[in-house]
Amino acid sequence: MPTQVPTEIIHIEWEGPLSLEDVAKLNGSTDYGVYQIYGGHVVYGSDALVYIGKAGRQSFGTRIKQETDWPENHDADRIRVYVGRLHGEATPSNETRERQIDLAERLLIYACQPAFNSKKSLGLLDPDLHNVHVLNWGRICDLLPEVSGARWSSKYDQIDPYEAYSE
């Protein structure tokens, strides 16, 4: 029997909507996590989830300033950002925090498929996502409240159907 790996539950508390100018000010010791960007897209409309990113080693303010595509968006005046910070019973080490941010970002991208995340190679951590479960709290906007790696990764891609029931 295979070894049972415990589920890793990652809690994220979301705040927003914020303007790019508001986000530029988020440089404090707790301003790390995952972020969502909403804006115009030629296929998805004027208020679509277009990108999910992470600020694991840099604050939200530093990381999002490095994103250069948003001011050129055809609806740049209405760009909205939601920032998500990890929450839990105890503050994790920096290494654990960065790993959880990375896993949460990848799983949320898997589940939501934002248009501008198409270049990211997500399959590299797929086995690491199998037992990750993200719980989204607060102002989650268009995210699902719960996202499970058991559902969105390849964990059950090869699951066998039940055999025929006997009468």
Side-chain angles (χ1 to χ4, degrees):
M1 177 175 254
T3 305
Q4 194 72 337
V5 177
T7 298
E8 181 168 4
I9 298 175
I10 301 172
H11 295 270
I12 302 177
E13 180 75 27
W14 291 93
E15 170 190 351
L18 304 169
S19 68
L20 291 171
E21 294 79 24
D22 292 336
V23 175
K25 300 171 189 170
L26 298 179
N27 292 303
S29 62
T30 62
D31 293 327
Y32 297 87
V34 184
Y35 58 92
Q36 312 169 55
I37 297 183
Y38 290 80
H41 187 274
V42 295
V43 174
Y44 302 121
S46 64
D47 192 28
L49 173 61
V50 293
Y51 190 79
I52 294 175
K54 65 180 178 180
R57 295 184 178 172
Q58 300 172 318
S59 67
F60 290 120
T62 301
R63 176 67 189 109
I64 294 176
K65 272 194 268 183
Q66 296 168 357
E67 299 283 4
T68 58
D69 293 335
W70 315 124
E72 297 175 17
N73 187 288
H74 72 271
D75 205 8
D77 291 340
R78 294 192 332 165
I79 296 289
R80 296 181 305 132
V81 181
Y82 289 77
V83 296
R85 295 174 179 90
L86 300 182
H87 277 243
E89 295 177 8
T91 302
S93 67
N94 286 344
E95 181 181 319
T96 298
R97 179 194 71 195
E98 288 177 21
R99 184 180 59 75
Q100 288 181 339
I101 289 170
D102 185 61
L103 292 171
E105 178 213 27
R106 288 178 176 274
L107 188 53
L108 290 172
I109 291 170
Y110 258 47
C112 298
Q113 296 294 309
F116 296 155
N117 284 106
S118 62
K119 296 176 188 165
K120 193 154 206 149
S121 176
L122 299 173
L124 298 176
L125 282 181
D126 187 58
D128 292 341
L129 296 175
H130 288 182
N131 295 306
V132 174
H133 194 87
V134 174
L135 298 174
N136 294 301
W137 304 96
R139 302 194 51 106
I140 66 173
C141 203
D142 289 344
L143 296 183
L144 297 166
E146 297 183 42
V147 181
S148 169
R151 167 61 180 93
W152 292 101
S153 70
S154 64
K155 183 174 185 174
Y156 294 112
D157 283 356
Q158 303 300 319
I159 194 166
D160 294 325
Y162 288 138
E163 294 181 18
Y165 290 101
S166 59
E167 303 258 345

